[in-house]
């Protein structure tokens, strides 16, 4: 069977890397509940587990960076993915095969990470996107973290125009990294300016009772 994906057909795309269970339930990095299990809250798990390649070379296997799910910490729900290891040249982690059309302009990425380190530190981390029909990755650097807790950023994407299709979504760890490099990734969203208009309420259609 030819490989194809069910992730589409239009933006937005969003995942918290939740496996639908956990030792704790997290909301924006804070524990709100104890052990839980609810498979209806499982997110879209990666298409490839784990496709780690050389930087900018999707056909060359690499294993400098290790990728795994962890229940020890999460941004939303009960799990996140941990990147660890050390790389000098850089590794790409291809996560999702998609068929996501940007129906509007201004594509952006939301990413939540946790370095666990005090102070300002370079994450060496980027989101990478590849358009349908292209062999080149579009790299969207995360930049730095300012502390040891979870941090979320909205990153602007250049190079994807209205009507173009995103075929692959992944992460890139740029080298050289420290020998004990570690990063948690708990939230990933790719979106554009598409908005869904909510139908207005009909007159006298809403009744509020205070009890």
């Amino acid at each position: 069977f030819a490989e194809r994906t069910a992730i589409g057909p239009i933006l937005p795309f969003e995942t918290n890397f939740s496996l639908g269970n956990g030792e704790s339930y997290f909301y924006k990095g804070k524990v709100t509940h104890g052990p839980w299990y609810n498979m209806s809250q499982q997110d879209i798990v990666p298409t490839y587990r784990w496709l780690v390649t050389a930087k900018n070379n999707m056909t060359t296997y690499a294993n400098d960076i290790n990728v795994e799910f962890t229940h020890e910490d999460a941004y939303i729900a009960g799990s996140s993915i941990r990147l660890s290891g050390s790389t000098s040249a850089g590794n790409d982690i291809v996560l999702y095969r998609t068929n996501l059309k940007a129906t509007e302009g201004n594509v952006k990425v939301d990413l939540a990470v946790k370095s666990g380190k005090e102070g300002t530190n370079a994450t060496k981390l980027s989101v990478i996107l590849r358009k349908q029909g292209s062999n080149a990755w579009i790299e969207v650097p995360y930049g730095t973290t300012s502390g040891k807790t979870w941090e979320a950023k909205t990153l602007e994407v250049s190079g994807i125009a209205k009507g173009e299709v995103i075929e692959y979504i992944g992460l890139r760890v740029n080298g050289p990294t420290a020998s004990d490099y570690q990063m948690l990734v708990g939230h990933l969203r790719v979106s554009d300016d598409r908005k869904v208009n909510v139908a207005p309420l009909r007159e006298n259609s809403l009744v509020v009772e205070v009890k």
Side-chain angles (χ1 to χ4, degrees):
F1 292 94
E3 181 187 27
R4 60 181 180 178
T5 178
I7 304 175
I10 58 177
L11 290 174
F13 165 84
E14 184 171 15
T15 181
N16 295 307
F17 303 104
S18 171
L19 294 175
N21 55 63
E23 296 300 318
S24 300
Y25 191 94
F26 295 82
Y27 180 72
K28 293 189 175 179
K30 298 184 184 301
V31 176
T32 61
H33 198 272
W36 64 283
Y37 182 94
N38 186 346
M39 289 305 292
S40 69
Q41 290 202 27
Q42 185 181 73
D43 279 313
I44 303 173
V45 295
T47 308
Y48 310 104
R49 194 186 303 183
W50 305 95
L51 179 56
V52 182
T53 71
K55 182 178 175 180
N56 277 317
N57 190 339
M58 195 171 165
T59 61
T60 300
Y61 168 76
N63 62 356
D64 299 333
I65 297 297
N66 182 58
V67 193
E68 61 185 342
F69 281 109
T70 177
H71 287 89
E72 294 174 12
D73 205 341
Y75 185 67
I76 300 287
S79 54
S80 59
I81 59 174
R82 176 190 283 122
L83 311 177
S84 60
S86 176
T87 177
S88 56
N91 279 183
D92 289 346
I93 301 100
V94 186
L95 294 175
Y96 294 97
R97 177 78 180 266
T98 66
N99 185 30
L100 293 161
K101 185 176 182 180
T103 56
E104 301 295 335
N106 191 28
V107 176
K108 51 191 172 292
V109 168
D110 294 275
L111 190 68
V113 305
K114 181 177 180 178
S115 66
K117 294 183 177 181
E118 295 281 8
T120 300
N121 290 278
T123 62
K124 300 280 188 174
L125 186 67
S126 300
V127 175
I128 50 175
L129 308 170
R130 184 179 288 190
K131 297 187 294 187
Q132 200 171 69
S134 172
N135 290 322
W137 288 105
I138 296 170
E139 183 173 0
V140 188
Y142 183 88
T144 60
T145 53
S146 57
K148 62 190 298 183
T149 58
W150 284 98
E151 295 183 28
K153 289 184 181 181
T154 298
L155 312 168
E156 299 296 327
V157 178
S158 59
I160 300 177
K162 179 178 179 179
E164 292 186 310
V165 175
I166 298 171
E167 188 172 18
Y168 293 99
I169 299 173
L171 299 168
R172 171 174 291 165
V173 178
N174 285 294
T177 64
S179 59
D180 59 346
Y181 179 85
Q182 182 168 277
M183 191 69 58
L184 296 179
V185 182
H187 173 75
L188 173 62
R189 174 181 167 89
V190 184
S191 61
D192 57 8
D193 280 346
R194 186 176 76 90
K195 290 182 173 59
V196 177
N197 295 321
V198 179
L201 290 172
R202 300 189 307 276
E203 187 177 357
N204 300 323
S205 65
L206 178 64
V207 176
V208 178
E209 294 183 11
V210 179
K211 295 185 177 180

